[in-house]
Amino acid sequence: MSKTQTSLVLFFVVLIALLFAWAGGQYGPQFNIGEFTAVPLLVMAVLIVFLIQWLAFIPAYIKKTEHFYDLVGGVSYLVFVGGMFLATYQFDMRSLLLTVLVSIWALRLSLFLFKRVGQDGSDSRFDSIKHDFMRFLLAWTVQGLWIIVTAGCAVAAISSAQKVSLTMIDGIAILLWILGFAIEIIADQQKRQFKRQETKPTPFICQGLWRYSRHPNYFGEIILWFGIALLALPALQGWQYMTLLSPFFVVLLLTKISGIPLLEAKADERWQGLDEYQNYKNNTPVLLPNFLK
């Protein structure tokens, strides 16, 4: 992309996040910016999330490093979700659960990715962009959008004036989160252990959960975010229902944009000449596990 195109994308990324926050913050606390003007506090929280990304971008660009990209993402989740929880002064059980579950996921994933990039020495996603100011800035800004939209329905519910007691449906939502979280952790750990093996049966992982799906960690992540959306649903009203796009955004991101397409292309480039890889690819679903294999 040219610098002009990148600038336009940056503008629309921020605009989408602000519109999303405006919708999610309609029935939450307001921030007064004048005698007759107020904006949803969620909009101000979104601006803080972007500010964190842009401040972190400065030393990252100077050092041409992506090593603390994911760690900053995890901290941003904690600030976004935890900050809105504290700002509402209405500490009901649903809000507390949403805050805790999102925070646990964010901490686990960011620390896992931070450790991984430290062990691997780099993250190939950034090889071609970390020397380009605008493209690297876009990557940090898109991380802000990812945080805001992914956690959007949770934060909207946390800050909503509508408080609803927990029901059996919420128990199902929590079980979905637990299931997805467990699958993601197990799949990630299996892959790290596979990479550390000196002698491998195949050059690519196709054992454990990876026997049933080529991307079981992403399957787990999608499940847990649908669990979060289901838990958030009863507290939403009006325009806040727009934030239920959150789990579908996760699906779109992982299956069409930055997750599976990049990894599949990289795997095809490395192993497309191997019969065992073609057999694995032809007989193993991309995402939804086939436990009947």
Side-chain angles (χ1 to χ4, degrees):
M1 287 190 296
S2 67
K3 289 185 178 181
T4 301
Q5 291 173 323
T6 305
S7 298
L8 284 173
V9 174
L10 275 167
F11 171 77
F12 281 110
V13 164
V14 176
L15 179 62
I16 291 169
L18 289 174
L19 290 174
F20 196 78
W22 178 86
Q26 285 303 297
Y27 295 91
Q30 304 292 302
F31 181 82
N32 295 318
I33 56 176
E35 186 177 354
F36 303 105
T37 305
V39 297
L41 187 62
L42 187 53
V43 171
M44 304 305 297
V46 161
L47 293 175
I48 291 173
V49 169
F50 278 127
L51 181 61
I52 293 172
Q53 310 314 304
W54 294 332
L55 289 175
F57 160 76
I58 296 172
Y61 179 71
I62 292 173
K63 295 184 177 181
K64 303 295 186 291
T65 180
E66 69 278 21
H67 278 217
F68 51 91
Y69 180 84
D70 296 302
L71 190 61
V72 171
V75 171
S76 300
Y77 265 106
L78 297 180
V79 171
F80 188 42
V81 178
M84 288 303 297
F85 175 73
L86 294 174
T88 60
Y89 299 105
Q90 300 180 49
F91 307 136
D92 67 305
M93 184 56 67
R94 185 180 308 276
S95 297
L96 178 60
L97 280 171
L98 286 166
T99 301
V100 170
L101 295 181
V102 174
S103 297
I104 289 173
W105 171 85
L107 272 174
R108 202 289 305 184
L109 183 63
S110 61
L111 290 174
F112 171 79
L113 295 175
F114 177 69
K115 181 180 179 181
R116 186 181 70 178
V117 75
Q119 292 174 340
D120 295 346
S122 65
D123 187 331
S124 59
R125 294 176 299 170
F126 298 91
D127 288 346
S128 63
I129 66 173
K130 60 187 176 185
H131 298 282
D132 184 309
F133 182 90
M134 290 301 296
R135 292 177 66 195
F136 200 29
L137 176 61
L138 177 60
W140 283 88
T141 306
V142 168
Q143 174 164 255
L145 178 67
W146 168 61
I147 294 162
I148 292 157
V149 178
T150 303
C153 64
V155 175
I158 288 168
S159 61
S160 177
Q162 178 165 279
K163 302 301 179 184
V164 182
S165 299
L166 297 177
T167 66
M168 289 293 294
I169 299 297
D170 299 308
I172 295 173
I174 294 169
L175 288 175
L176 275 177
W177 184 91
I178 292 172
L179 176 63
F181 189 61
I183 291 173
E184 185 173 16
I185 289 177
I186 293 169
D188 283 339
Q189 188 60 30
Q190 286 175 344
K191 192 169 187 178
R192 293 308 290 174
Q193 289 177 347
F194 174 80
K195 287 185 174 181
R196 288 197 292 264
Q197 292 177 9
E198 295 184 4
T199 304
K200 301 179 176 66
T202 57
F204 55 90
I205 184 170
C206 56
Q207 53 193 291
L209 292 177
W210 301 82
R211 175 186 176 188
Y212 308 104
S213 166
R214 303 209 297 272
H215 302 279
N217 52 338
Y218 290 159
F219 175 70
E221 184 163 337
I222 288 169
I223 287 178
L224 74 85
W225 282 113
F226 272 102
I228 290 292
L230 184 60
L231 183 59
L233 177 60
L236 304 179
Q237 53 185 318
W239 281 102
Q240 288 183 320
Y241 287 119
M242 289 292 295
T243 63
L244 290 174
L245 290 171
S246 293
F248 297 98
F249 172 78
V250 174
V251 174
L252 177 66
L253 187 67
L254 294 180
T255 63
K256 300 297 183 182
I257 302 176
S258 69
I260 290 175
L262 295 179
L263 292 176
E264 287 287 302
K266 186 177 179 180
D268 288 345
E269 182 181 350
R270 295 177 65 182
W271 302 309
Q272 61 181 347
L274 295 177
D275 290 339
E276 52 196 346
Y277 172 69
Q278 290 301 325
N279 182 61
Y280 173 70
K281 188 172 180 179
N282 292 335
N283 293 282
T284 307
V286 175
L287 183 65
L288 297 176
N290 177 11
F291 293 114
L292 300 178
K293 284 186 61 179

